[in-house]
Amino acid sequence: MKIFITLASQELKRLWRDSTFQVLAVFLLLLSGYAIFSSTEQYGHAYTEHHALTDTARYMLQHQKPTSAHMAGHYGHIVFKPATFLQAIDPGVNAYTGTTVRLEAHRQNEAVFIPASGQSSLIRFGEFSFAMLLQVIFPLLILFTCYRSIIADRQNGTLRLLLCQGVSMRQLITARAAAYIAVYWTFLLLAALVYGLVFYMGQHEAGAGVLPRVFLLVFLYGLYYALLIALTVYLSARANSPSGLLVGLLAAWFIFTVIIPKTAANIGAQRTPLPTRVAFDQSIADDRKGGINGHDTRNERSQRFTDSVLRAHGVDSASQLPVKLGGLLMQADEDFNNYVYDKAITRISSIISAQNRVGAVSGFADPFMAVKNLSMAIAGTDMHHHYDFTKDVEDYRRVLIRDLNKLDAARVSEFKDSKGKLTQEYWDQVKDYRYESPALGWSLANYITEIIALFTWIVAVCLLIALTSNKIRIA
Amino acid sequence: MLQITNLNKTYGDHHALKGLNLTVNKGEVFCLLGQNGAGKTTTINISLGFLAPDSGEVLINGKKVGKDGNDTRRHIAYIPEVVMLYANLTAVENLDFFSKLAGYSYDRKQLRDFLTDANLQSEAHEKRVGAFSKGMRQKVGIAIAIAKNADVILMDEPTSGLDPRATDEFTRIVKQLASQGKSVLIATHDIFNAVSIGTHIGIMKDGQLLHVVGADNISPEALQKLYLETI
C-alpha cells in the first residue's frame, strides 16, 4: 500500500508540474465552464418558456368563449413537456422529440415543436451539451493525458529503475491509473458542484428525486472514466511505440463514439424497420373504419350502437333517453379510436424496442453505448421517458375528452348554462396537466443489459490487469 | 552474493548466452568485458528478472530470480549506462521517491547526505534534474543505489561518456561500496577502468565467459592484449 501511495502521489506531483497537462486542464475547465453556462442557459430558457406557455394555455382554456362540450372537445387543450434540471446535463433525445402536444377529441396528436428543428444543421446534429463533454471530450482528453503514463517511462529508461526498486508492473499500472482517476474524478466532482451552484443561483425548481439521479450520473461517469483510464494505462504499459499507441487509441475512440453507435442504429433499423408515417397513418385510418363514427349517426355501426342503448333503457327513441345520445356516441367513437391507437402504438413500441435491443447489446462491444444509454435513462431524457410522457398525456387527454363527452351526454349539469354551453366554473375545476417523471428504479429497469455490459467491461479490465500485468515484457 | 549457473539464452537463432557461469562474492567487483553483442547486457537483464533464461539460473543471496523477478529485485541496485530520472523532480525528490519505493523513508538531511556521498555538489540537491549532465544524473543513480542498501549492485556501462574526473570519482565510490560488503557486477568496454575498479575481470565472447582474471594479477596492458586476442 505504501508503494501504491508513493507511486500515485509522485504521478500527481509530476502531472501538477507538467505543462502539457496544465494546458489540457485549463482547456478542460474552460470547456466545462462553457458547457455548464450554455446548458443552464438553455435550461433556464426552456424552464421559463414552459411556465409561460403552460400559464397561457391554462388561461386560454379557462377563458375560452362559451361553447358546447362537443365543440370544446374539438377545440381541445395544449400541454407541454416540462423542462427538467437533468436535461441541462444530458438532453438525450429531447432535442429530437417534441415538447408540445395538442389534445383534442378523436385523435392522438404527436408532440410537436422539436427543439433541434429550429437550429442550424450544425447544431441539429451535434449540439454542444454537457453530456457531449462527458461522453466525447472527457474520454478524448483521458486518452491524451494517460497514453504516455507508462510508455514514457519505458522510453526514458525510468521504467527499469522503477521496477528495480521492487515495484511490480501491476502495482505501477494500478497506482498510475489511480492517480489519473483521482484527477478526473476531481474534475467531475468540481463540475457537478459548479453545476449545482449555478443551478441554485438560477433559482429553478429541481424537482423531486433529482439529487439521487445527479449522484448516480456522477457515479456512472466516474466509473466510465476509471474504466477508460485503467485500460489506457494498461495499454501504455504494453505498447512499444507512443505514436502507434496514440493512433490506435484515437482510432478506438472514433470507432466507439461514432462508428459503433451509428452502425448499431442502422442494424436495428434494417432488422426491424418502422413503417413510414404515411403507412402508419393509413393503417390507423383503415382500422378506424371498422368502428363507430360519432359524427355520422346514420352509419350501420352507429345505428347498431343506438339500438343497443335504446334497448338497454327500454325506450323507443333517443328523445326518451335520460341522456343525450350524441354524447354517448362520441364516447363510443372515442373508445374505439383509443383501442385502435393502443394497438398501433403497441406494434410501433415493439419495433422500437427491437431496434433498441441492438444498441443495448452493442454495449458489450462498446462501453460508450452502455454509458450513453444509461446517462439518458438517469437524466430521464431517453425514449422510454418520452413514451412515458406521451402515454401520460394520452391518459390525461382521455379523461379530459371523457368528461366532456359525459357533459355532452348530460341533459342538465351544474356546468352548463341555459343554452347548454359550458360555464367558466367547469374549466376552473379542470385539473392542470402535470407530468411527473417515473422513479429512478423504473428508469434503470429498462437498461439491465447496459448495466450488465458496463460491469462486464469493468470486471474484464480488472482481470486483465490483475492476471497479465506482471507478464508484460520489460527488456 | 550473485551466482550465475549454466545460463543459456537465445534470440531466434542467435545464442546470446551459452552456459554462462560466474559468481560475485561479497566485497567483490566483477567487471565483464566484451564487445557489443557478447551477452553482457543480457546477463544483467536476466539477473534483474527482465528477461527469462532458456535454462540455467541466477541466485541473488541464494534466492532464485523468478519469472517476474520482483522478489529478488528488492536486493539489487541497478545503475544503467544513462541514469534516467524524473526531469521535473529535484535530485532530492527523485532520491526520496525511489527510496520510498524500495521501502526506505529518509528525512531530508539523510537524503542530502546520500547525494553528498555520491559526490553530487550540494547546490544541485534541490534543483530539478532535467538540466543535469549525464555525470550528475549518474551520481543521483549512485545515491539511489546507496540509499537502497542493496547487497548486489549491477551496472551497465556506468562510466561510458563520463569525463576522467567523474570516472575517477565513480571508481572511488564503487570501491567504497565493495568495501561495505556489496557484490558488484559491472558490464563495461573500458579495460583500464576495469583494472582499476574490479577485483575480478571476465572477458565474454559470443555468450561465453572465456577468461576470468584477478585484477591484482594483471596490468592494463596485459589485459588489453588478452582482450584483443580473445575477441
Side-chain angles (χ1 to χ4, degrees):
Chain A
M1 194 63 190
K2 221 171 172 182
I3 288 177
F4 178 88
I5 292 167
T6 306
L7 283 167
S9 57
Q10 185 267 349
E11 187 64 9
L12 288 173
K13 195 185 282 183
R14 193 191 64 77
L15 277 174
W16 183 251
R17 293 175 180 178
D18 181 33
S19 57
T20 311
F21 181 76
Q22 287 165 1
V23 170
L24 280 174
V26 170
F27 176 65
L28 199 59
L29 288 173
L30 286 175
L31 265 182
S32 302
Y34 173 69
I36 290 169
F37 172 76
S38 71
S39 55
T40 46
E41 273 286 302
Q42 279 171 19
Y43 166 69
H45 178 70
Y47 178 85
T48 312
E49 196 176 48
H50 174 260
H51 279 267
L53 290 172
T54 303
D55 290 348
T56 306
R58 179 74 200 177
Y59 181 84
M60 286 167 70
L61 186 77
Q62 285 177 280
H63 296 87
Q64 58 187 286
K65 282 181 188 169
T67 185
S68 68
H70 178 77
M71 288 310 291
H74 280 291
Y75 178 74
H77 183 30
I78 299 173
V79 294
F80 305 92
K81 196 175 187 177
T84 64
F85 167 61
L86 291 163
Q87 83 178 45
I89 297 173
D90 190 344
V93 298
N94 276 9
Y96 310 99
T97 53
T99 53
T100 307
V101 187
R102 181 169 176 233
L103 310 178
E104 59 179 320
H106 311 305
R107 62 165 57 217
Q108 287 82 3
N109 293 310
E110 255 193 300
V112 292
F113 296 118
I114 297 165
S117 65
Q119 306 286 359
S120 71
S121 57
L122 274 177
I123 291 178
R124 282 169 76 167
F125 297 107
E127 185 188 16
F128 186 72
S129 65
F130 197 67
M132 186 188 177
L133 183 79
L134 294 173
Q135 291 167 10
V136 180
I137 311 292
F138 261 65
L140 190 61
L141 293 179
I142 283 173
L143 302 187
F144 272 117
T145 45
C146 298
Y147 87 99
R148 284 181 55 81
S149 57
I150 293 180
I151 200 168
D153 284 286
R154 190 186 283 277
Q155 273 198 313
N156 296 342
T158 40
L159 181 64
R160 291 167 73 96
L161 207 52
L162 277 173
L163 298 177
C164 278
Q165 298 307 99
V167 176
S168 72
M169 201 57 152
R170 191 189 302 146
Q171 282 174 318
L172 186 61
I173 290 171
T174 49
R176 288 274 163 88
Y180 286 98
I181 288 169
V183 168
Y184 278 92
W185 281 6
T186 305
F187 277 126
L188 199 57
L189 287 172
L190 205 63
L193 278 175
V194 173
Y195 229 119
L197 204 64
V198 170
F199 182 79
Y200 178 74
M201 286 164 69
Q203 295 183 334
H204 304 300
E205 288 169 42
V210 163
L211 211 57
R213 285 176 183 260
V214 171
F215 282 130
L216 201 57
L217 274 175
V218 171
F219 177 71
L220 172 74
Y221 284 104
L223 216 56
Y224 183 44
Y225 297 158
L227 172 73
L228 291 181
I229 289 167
L231 197 55
T232 309
V233 172
Y234 174 78
L235 292 172
S236 179
R238 280 214 90 102
N240 291 317
S241 149
S243 55
L245 176 63
L246 184 61
V247 169
L249 288 172
L250 288 177
W253 172 83
F254 184 70
I255 290 166
F256 280 0
T257 52
V258 179
I259 304 291
I260 292 181
K262 300 281 178 205
T263 309
N266 286 343
I267 290 171
Q270 278 170 5
R271 279 185 60 193
T272 45
L274 276 169
T276 62
R277 182 78 223 180
V278 175
F280 178 70
D281 289 345
Q282 189 59 50
S283 75
I284 287 186
D286 289 345
D287 284 348
R288 285 191 66 186
K289 281 179 191 162
I292 293 167
N293 183 346
H295 290 98
D296 181 5
T297 52
R298 279 177 292 188
N299 84 14
E300 195 189 325
R301 284 187 178 78
S302 298
Q303 278 295 335
R304 278 213 298 269
F305 177 78
T306 303
D307 291 345
S308 70
V309 171
L310 294 177
R311 264 200 311 278
H313 284 83
V315 294
D316 299 327
S317 69
S319 59
Q320 292 173 301
L321 286 169
V323 291
K324 288 184 182 173
L325 184 62
L328 297 182
L329 270 168
M330 284 303 159
Q331 187 54 40
D333 179 341
E334 190 68 27
D335 289 342
F336 186 73
N337 178 45
N338 293 344
Y339 164 74
V340 168
Y341 173 79
D342 288 344
K343 211 174 83 175
I345 213 72
T346 306
R347 203 167 57 237
I348 292 294
S349 294
S350 70
I351 292 173
I352 292 174
S353 294
Q355 290 186 352
N356 287 343
R357 264 199 298 279
V358 178
V361 171
S362 65
F364 287 100
D366 178 2
F368 167 76
M369 287 292 288
V371 169
K372 189 172 185 281
N373 288 343
L374 282 169
S375 174
M376 285 194 290
I378 296 166
T381 54
D382 61 340
M383 279 312 284
H384 290 288
H385 281 82
H386 183 68
Y387 291 144
D388 184 69
F389 165 72
T390 309
K391 188 181 172 303
D392 197 56
V393 165
E394 175 58 13
D395 290 345
Y396 179 80
R397 188 196 71 84
R398 288 180 186 184
V399 172
L400 186 76
I401 301 303
R402 186 199 63 204
D403 289 349
L404 286 171
N405 283 335
K406 265 189 197 167
L407 275 174
D408 194 28
R411 291 196 182 277
V412 182
S413 165
E414 57 177 314
F415 295 121
K416 280 181 170 179
D417 63 14
S418 56
K419 291 176 186 171
K421 313 266 186 194
L422 296 177
T423 61
Q424 196 185 329
E425 284 73 36
Y426 174 71
W427 296 115
D428 288 346
Q429 58 84 50
V430 170
K431 282 184 183 165
D432 275 340
Y433 174 69
R434 279 192 186 282
Y435 175 65
E436 292 291 340
S437 274
L440 183 58
W442 178 91
S443 307
L444 293 175
N446 295 310
Y447 293 94
I448 299 297
T449 310
E450 280 85 347
I451 293 170
I452 295 171
L454 191 59
F455 278 96
T456 305
W457 269 94
I458 290 164
V459 170
V461 170
C462 288
L463 285 175
L464 189 71
I465 292 171
L467 301 177
T468 66
S469 293
N470 287 347
K471 293 175 184 163
I472 292 173
R473 195 177 54 81
I474 312 297
Chain B
M1 183 181 174
L2 171 73
Q3 287 172 286
I4 296 175
T5 312
N6 200 24
L7 208 57
N8 287 285
K9 178 71 187 173
T10 52
Y11 299 108
D13 296 336
H14 174 65
H15 283 261
L17 292 179
K18 292 179 198 164
L20 180 72
N21 291 289
L22 78 86
T23 301
V24 187
N25 293 308
K26 284 187 172 183
E28 288 182 355
V29 179
F30 196 112
C31 292
L32 268 181
L33 287 172
Q35 283 187 303
N36 289 338
K40 306 186 297 290
T41 303
T42 300
T43 306
I44 287 180
N45 279 336
I46 292 173
S47 302
L48 286 167
F50 292 160
L51 267 182
D54 297 339
S55 62
E57 62 179 18
V58 178
L59 300 177
I60 306 290
N61 286 347
K63 196 169 185 182
K64 189 177 171 183
V65 175
K67 266 189 178 174
D68 65 15
N70 210 34
D71 290 343
T72 45
R73 275 201 290 265
R74 293 196 166 278
H75 304 286
I76 305 173
Y78 168 64
I79 300 174
E81 180 180 353
V82 181
V83 175
M84 296 308 298
L85 303 160
Y86 290 101
N88 50 10
L89 298 184
T90 65
V92 169
E93 284 171 341
N94 267 292
L95 178 57
D96 183 39
F97 170 60
F98 284 108
S99 298
K100 277 179 179 159
L101 292 183
Y104 296 97
S105 192
Y106 299 111
D107 61 31
R108 207 156 197 86
K109 185 184 173 302
Q110 287 172 306
L111 292 168
R112 290 182 68 111
D113 286 347
F114 285 126
L115 290 167
T116 306
D117 290 346
N119 264 356
L120 185 73
Q121 57 270 42
S122 60
E123 53 269 31
H125 291 185
E126 303 292 347
K127 284 190 178 155
R128 292 189 189 180
V129 301
F132 278 20
S133 66
K134 187 188 171 191
M136 289 165 83
R137 287 204 303 273
Q138 203 78 348
K139 287 169 184 173
V140 180
I142 292 165
I144 291 170
I146 296 170
K148 188 177 178 182
N149 196 26
D151 296 324
V152 176
I153 302 172
L154 304 179
M155 302 182 179
D156 196 357
E157 310 284 1
T159 54
S160 162
L162 292 187
D163 61 43
R165 184 174 173 166
T167 304
D168 189 51
E169 284 174 351
F170 176 80
T171 304
R172 189 182 57 74
I173 293 165
V174 171
K175 283 185 170 173
Q176 198 179 334
L177 288 170
S179 70
Q180 291 165 6
K182 314 288 183 197
S183 309
V184 183
L185 177 69
I186 302 175
T188 182
H189 288 110
D190 188 339
I191 293 167
F192 293 94
N193 188 242
V195 174
S196 69
I197 202 170
T199 56
H200 296 78
I201 299 159
I203 301 175
M204 282 189 84
K205 188 187 176 190
D206 297 334
Q208 289 177 298
L209 187 60
L210 298 178
H211 299 284
V212 176
V213 293
D216 292 341
N217 307 326
I218 195 163
S219 67
E221 293 75 20
L223 179 63
Q224 187 177 24
K225 192 171 174 236
L226 179 65
Y227 178 70
L228 291 171
E229 283 169 4
T230 306
I231 62 166

